[in-house]
Amino acid sequence: MTDYQLTVETEVGEATVHPIDRDITSIGRAEENQIQILDIKSSRNHCQIERGNGEYRLVDLESQNGTRVNGKKVNRHTLTIGDEIQIGTTVIRFDEVPAGKPATGAIKRKPRRDFRSSIHKRRLRSVTSLLRKKEEKEAGAAFEALEEALAAIEEKHGEEGLAVALEIASSALDREPAAGESDRLALLLRLQEVAKAMNSELNTAKLLDLIMDSVIDLTRAERGFLMLFHEGGKLSVEVARNIDKESLTKPEFEFSRSVVHQVHETGEAVVSADAQVDPRFTKSSVSVSNLQLRSVLCMPLLIRERMIGVVYIDNRYQEGLFEDEDVDILHSFADQAAIAIENARLHEDVTRKNAELQKSKEKVEQLNALLQEKVEHQRVELEDVKEVLGHKQAELELKYTYEQIVGESKAMRQVFQLLDKITDTDAPVFIHGESGTGKELVARAIHFNGPRKKERFVSENCAAISETLLESELFGYVKGAFTGADRDKKGLFEIADRGTLFLDEIGEMSALMQKKLLRVLQEGEFRRVGGKDPIHVDVRIISASNKDIKKLVEATTFREDLYYRINVITVNLPPLRDRKEDVPLLVQHFVERIARNSGAPVLEIDKEALRMLLNYHWPGNVRELENEITRGAALAGQRITPAVLSENLKGGRARGIDLAAVQGRGLKDLLREYTEALEKEVIELTLSESGGVKSEAARRLGISRPTLDAKIDTLGIRPPK
């Protein structure tokens, strides 16, 4: 069996060799990694190498600065001999273990950085020699830091700048360092490293985390908060950390607003050695006293005299942690941080606008190509193009986006336009559609685009559980209400308070539950099972059913007063057979999602297979189409062909139909007979596959148990033995 190793080479030429002797080899700055690299651009847990099935796969662990292999940024990559992994300035080479040589230990390599001037080389060696005499134990680290600083100066200011820097370094080393000067130098070097990292980070969220964690590291603060100002002076806490880099759960209650307000008003930093006795806060700030704050420092983030936010740090246990010199250094750091934040915001804004511009450009190119093609045909073809352009214009006029609902047909555009009108209201909505048409997706779109989107969205299938359990689920219960009720439990109405409750298959709800639901909708209150105290809630109700509720009212199986309560606005979802033009979009959506989940290439669709998909009537709607594509992807290689489609689609147009008997027959009668025959066959097949267990068959078919029983009686189906 071939053994492999990793050779880790740092920027200054030091290299170590590590064997790959476990299934997962972790790499990063943290000490717990199998391979620790002290590179400023390395995350604590940066990446890992996974061994399995004779392969070694590199996996990036969502690192801040990314991982590159042979110069190309990757998320996952199967390693081959000679591959070079780059993390910042550190290079890791993947190789076989040479015969007779153990894969471990350290080796020396020539440094990759070299100064151009031989005179400067000699002067640098003399400065380094002097440095080693003064600090023998720390010579290696100090030399590396000095060399990196001088290299940066040379790159920016050339030979003359390097010469001046060497003179300053020599004169500084000729005298004894003042008290605390080494710590200050270390702090300055650390600030330089952080500034480099900030300038290279263009993701705003990651940049804010980096700034906050760096400030806590530099100042030894117990906690830190980075806050930004928005339009109208509104303040938001973007990052809240403790000294262990853990996020605080309720940051808005953990800092002194009076201190932040003072910085906002004056534009000057506020520092206090002991806020408990500081006269600026002892009388006016209750939060300082309640939080038991000692050391406090709040620094403004300024861009061209405009305050974009503040950095707030404190310590509740140590006095005098922040000194005036710390404030001076952090002033410079805050200026660089503010510039980095502004640059990241501008970059993201430009990226977003460029993406929108590119998308618009591609859309225009598509429309132009379509127009050019249609112009070459008859006048009727030109009218079709105008209709398409009108549809696209209607899409652009939509107020909200509906990415989770795939469809561009006229029927779906009408649904989207209706959703645009009702989303901002609190009116109850009833969604009617066959099983598999996506009723819950529409309910989620209404909630997450509406004014309650920050609150809970809770859903319940009224047909999936019994009446007693449904009452407990909706209203909750108190301890001792029934056997097994060993504690109080909130119901879905309480959980969804100020949010949205989606009641699917509401037509299956019993008469007693309808009565209790009506009372909640009328009064806005209910009692838990076994409870006495009323509970008031504010919940938006969205309900759905595949049945015609109005017919249920006429049959007296559904309360008329409840019908008018839930049916203020009705959304009718078209079945897939009525929007066949959406089938190609849905197919593409499903194969792309399968590719994302599996990491495999996107499957192609054979033209004949697509034709069969378009010709099929889809009694199970979008859910059936999704199952068909998932099944086809599992059986296919790189292309879905007619051979991997199910027998339902292979049956062709003549399935269950005698063409000779069509003459003189009404279309409605033919469709009804055909649908009933197909429905009977599907139910019989599902019952057989479920071993005759009706509840399992109902679950697979996406219908309730009572609905299945009714269909078995109506269609004359004999359950299998």
Side-chain angles (χ1 to χ4, degrees):
M1 178 179 178
T2 304
D3 294 327
Y4 294 89
Q5 65 183 20
L6 297 174
T7 303
V8 182
E9 184 177 354
T10 65
E11 186 179 15
V12 296
E14 295 181 354
T16 56
V17 179
H18 304 267
I20 306 178
D21 54 3
R22 58 186 68 203
D23 291 337
I24 295 180
T25 302
S26 59
I27 303 173
R29 274 193 299 111
E31 292 181 358
E32 62 264 20
N33 290 289
Q34 279 75 54
I35 300 179
Q36 183 184 19
I37 56 174
L38 302 178
D39 194 301
I40 185 62
K41 291 192 177 181
S42 171
S43 299
R44 289 180 56 81
N45 298 292
H46 196 97
C47 62
Q48 65 186 29
I49 295 177
E50 300 174 356
R51 179 178 66 183
N53 297 326
E55 292 184 342
Y56 292 80
R57 183 180 293 272
L58 172 71
V59 180
D60 183 81
L61 301 177
E62 297 184 352
S63 61
Q64 182 172 314
N65 293 300
T67 306
R68 295 180 179 272
V69 176
N70 302 326
K72 183 179 179 181
K73 194 171 184 179
V74 300
N75 292 323
R76 300 176 69 89
H77 177 80
T78 300
L79 295 170
T80 58
I81 296 174
D83 279 351
E84 287 191 349
I85 305 165
Q86 292 111 24
I87 301 174
T89 60
T90 302
V91 177
I92 304 174
R93 184 173 292 102
F94 176 80
D95 284 311
E96 291 183 7
V97 176
K101 294 183 179 180
T104 183
I107 59 176
K108 291 289 185 179
R109 296 188 183 274
K110 184 178 179 180
R112 295 200 297 273
R113 180 187 293 120
D114 195 9
F115 293 104
R116 294 187 295 272
S117 171
S118 60
I119 297 176
H120 292 156
K121 286 182 180 179
R122 291 195 297 272
R123 296 181 66 188
L124 177 60
R125 282 197 293 269
S126 65
V127 171
T128 306
S129 176
L130 181 59
L131 180 65
R132 285 198 175 97
K133 291 178 182 178
K134 290 180 173 292
E135 297 286 348
E136 190 66 32
K137 293 183 179 179
E138 301 177 359
F143 172 68
E144 292 177 10
L146 176 62
E147 185 185 15
E148 176 153 350
L150 292 173
I153 292 172
E154 181 193 27
E155 182 179 352
K156 186 173 183 180
H157 301 289
E159 295 281 339
E160 294 181 0
L162 178 61
V164 173
L166 285 168
E167 289 291 347
I168 295 172
S170 298
S171 62
L173 290 169
D174 284 335
R175 60 176 175 80
E176 290 296 326
E181 189 169 295
S182 298
D183 293 339
R184 303 290 291 173
L185 177 60
L187 178 59
L188 288 172
L189 291 174
R190 172 61 177 152
L191 281 172
Q192 183 185 31
E193 294 175 351
V194 174
K196 289 180 181 179
M198 287 194 303
N199 290 332
S200 63
E201 181 55 71
L202 294 176
N203 182 288
T204 302
K206 292 182 178 180
L207 174 63
L208 297 179
D209 288 341
L210 172 63
I211 293 171
M212 192 70 266
D213 291 340
S214 300
V215 170
I216 293 177
D217 287 343
L218 294 168
T219 60
R220 306 175 305 282
E222 180 202 357
R223 306 176 309 165
F225 304 80
L226 195 154
M227 295 165 258
L228 297 180
F229 293 106
H230 303 281
E231 293 183 5
K234 184 179 179 181
L235 181 71
S236 66
V237 180
E238 304 294 334
V239 184
R241 292 277 204 274
N242 60 21
I243 196 170
D244 295 323
K245 296 184 180 180
E246 297 174 343
S247 297
L248 304 180
T249 55
K250 295 182 178 180
E252 64 273 15
F253 303 116
E254 298 293 332
F255 65 91
S256 172
R257 292 186 176 273
S258 58
V259 172
V260 175
H261 178 73
Q262 182 174 335
V263 174
H264 189 209
E265 290 294 320
T266 63
E268 300 291 336
V270 170
V271 59
S272 178
D274 188 353
Q276 293 297 311
V277 297
D278 195 322
R280 293 175 293 176
F281 311 123
T282 52
K283 294 182 179 180
S284 60
S285 178
V286 177
S287 58
V288 168
S289 175
N290 291 340
L291 294 172
Q292 295 296 304
L293 300 180
R294 294 295 181 183
S295 298
V296 177
L297 172 59
C298 188
M299 182 74 62
L301 297 171
L302 300 172
I303 291 288
R304 294 181 292 276
E305 298 184 357
R306 176 174 61 89
M307 189 180 302
I308 65 171
V310 297
V311 173
Y312 172 104
I313 53 178
D314 63 25
N315 192 301
R316 294 172 293 179
Y317 310 105
Q318 186 174 349
E319 301 174 7
L321 182 62
F322 313 123
E323 301 177 354
D324 291 339
E325 293 180 350
D326 295 323
V327 176
D328 294 338
I329 293 176
L330 287 180
H331 256 306
S332 300
F333 176 81
D335 291 340
Q336 296 183 58
I339 294 172
I341 293 172
E342 190 74 1
N343 288 341
R345 282 176 162 180
L346 291 174
H347 177 268
E348 290 183 347
D349 188 49
V350 169
T351 301
R352 177 181 56 80
K353 289 182 179 178
N354 285 341
E356 292 175 354
L357 182 61
Q358 181 62 29
K359 185 177 181 180
S360 299
K361 180 181 176 181
E362 293 173 356
K363 182 69 73 174
V364 170
E365 290 175 351
Q366 292 174 4
L367 294 175
N368 285 339
L370 180 62
L371 181 61
Q372 184 63 34
E373 179 183 351
K374 294 298 181 180
V375 165
E376 296 175 358
H377 296 289
Q378 299 178 356
R379 179 176 173 276
V380 177
E381 300 284 335
L382 182 59
E383 294 299 325
D384 293 338
V385 174
K386 292 180 179 180
E387 183 180 356
V388 171
L389 292 174
H391 293 167
K392 297 302 179 185
Q393 181 64 33
E395 288 178 5
L396 295 175
E397 293 174 354
L398 288 176
K399 186 176 180 181
Y400 297 108
T401 59
Y402 304 95
E403 296 92 348
Q404 300 302 319
I405 307 174
V406 179
E408 292 184 356
S409 61
K410 181 178 179 181
M412 289 307 298
R413 286 198 305 274
Q414 291 175 347
V415 172
F416 295 152
Q417 290 167 357
L418 176 59
L419 295 182
D420 260 4
K421 297 176 182 179
I422 66 176
T423 295
D424 286 339
T425 71
D426 268 337
V429 178
F430 175 73
I431 305 170
H432 179 256
E434 297 178 4
S435 295
T437 52
K439 296 187 285 295
E440 184 165 350
L441 286 178
V442 172
R444 288 182 177 274
I446 295 172
H447 172 79
F448 288 106
N449 283 329
R452 298 173 179 256
K453 61 184 177 182
K454 293 185 178 180
E455 304 297 335
R456 297 285 298 273
F457 174 88
V458 182
S459 65
E460 180 59 69
N461 189 326
C462 300
I465 56 179
S466 65
E467 175 183 313
T468 305
L469 289 178
L470 180 60
E471 181 179 5
S472 300
E473 283 295 310
L474 293 181
F475 307 130
Y477 54 81
V478 298
K479 181 178 180 181
F482 49 83
T483 302
D486 56 351
R487 57 184 176 83
D488 290 352
K489 179 186 176 183
K490 289 184 177 181
L492 297 183
F493 268 97
E494 284 184 82
I495 296 174
D497 189 23
R498 298 188 300 277
T500 301
L501 176 59
F502 174 59
L503 298 176
D504 197 7
E505 299 301 335
I506 195 171
E508 304 292 341
M509 187 177 287
S510 68
L512 180 59
M513 282 303 303
Q514 291 178 34
K515 179 179 179 182
K516 294 182 178 181
L517 176 61
L518 177 63
R519 184 177 184 277
V520 178
L521 299 183
Q522 289 176 334
E523 306 297 335
E525 66 178 25
F526 64 93
R527 291 180 175 84
R528 292 179 180 175
V529 176
K532 298 180 180 179
D533 299 325
I535 299 174
H536 298 270
V537 290
D538 174 21
V539 177
R540 183 178 189 177
I541 296 295
I542 300 178
S543 55
S545 178
N546 59 7
K547 295 183 176 181
D548 188 339
I549 300 297
K550 190 173 183 180
K551 290 184 178 180
L552 296 181
V553 171
E554 294 172 356
T556 68
T557 59
F558 197 89
R559 294 180 65 98
E560 184 176 10
D561 45 2
L562 179 58
Y563 168 77
Y564 290 116
R565 280 283 180 180
I566 64 171
N567 195 31
V568 176
I569 299 173
T570 302
V571 177
N572 289 303
L573 292 184
L576 186 55
R577 59 182 173 273
D578 290 343
R579 55 182 186 108
K580 289 288 188 69
E581 58 267 48
D582 287 335
V583 169
L585 293 176
L586 289 163
V587 171
Q588 188 65 25
H589 171 74
F590 293 140
V591 296
E592 288 177 353
R593 187 174 67 185
I594 292 171
R596 285 196 304 270
N597 294 338
S598 64
V602 178
L603 292 175
E604 297 179 359
I605 307 294
D606 183 87
K607 288 185 178 180
E608 179 60 21
L610 183 59
R611 186 193 65 78
M612 293 173 64
L613 295 174
L614 287 168
N615 288 340
Y616 187 56
H617 61 285
W618 300 113
N621 293 294
V622 179
R623 184 184 295 118
E624 184 182 3
L625 175 59
E626 180 182 7
N627 292 340
E628 187 67 39
I629 298 302
T630 302
R631 177 184 182 277
L635 298 176
Q638 294 297 321
R639 189 179 184 87
I640 295 180
T641 64
V644 300
L645 297 179
S646 66
E647 293 300 322
N648 288 341
L649 275 79
K650 293 179 182 178
R653 63 176 175 81
R655 177 186 178 90
I657 298 177
D658 182 2
L659 295 179
V662 171
Q663 300 296 329
R665 301 285 303 280
L667 179 60
K668 290 184 178 180
D669 293 337
L670 289 171
L671 287 176
R672 184 179 67 254
E673 293 176 9
Y674 176 53
T675 302
E676 289 178 355
L678 178 62
E679 192 173 25
K680 181 178 181 180
E681 181 179 347
V682 170
I683 293 175
E684 288 176 340
L685 178 62
T686 306
L687 282 169
S688 177
E689 292 177 347
S690 303
V693 180
K694 293 183 179 180
S695 57
E696 175 62 15
R699 186 190 65 80
R700 294 187 182 187
L701 292 168
I703 60 177
S704 67
R705 170 64 183 277
T707 301
L708 177 61
D709 289 336
K711 289 183 179 296
I712 289 174
D713 293 339
T714 302
L715 300 173
I717 298 173
R718 293 183 178 181
K721 296 181 180 180

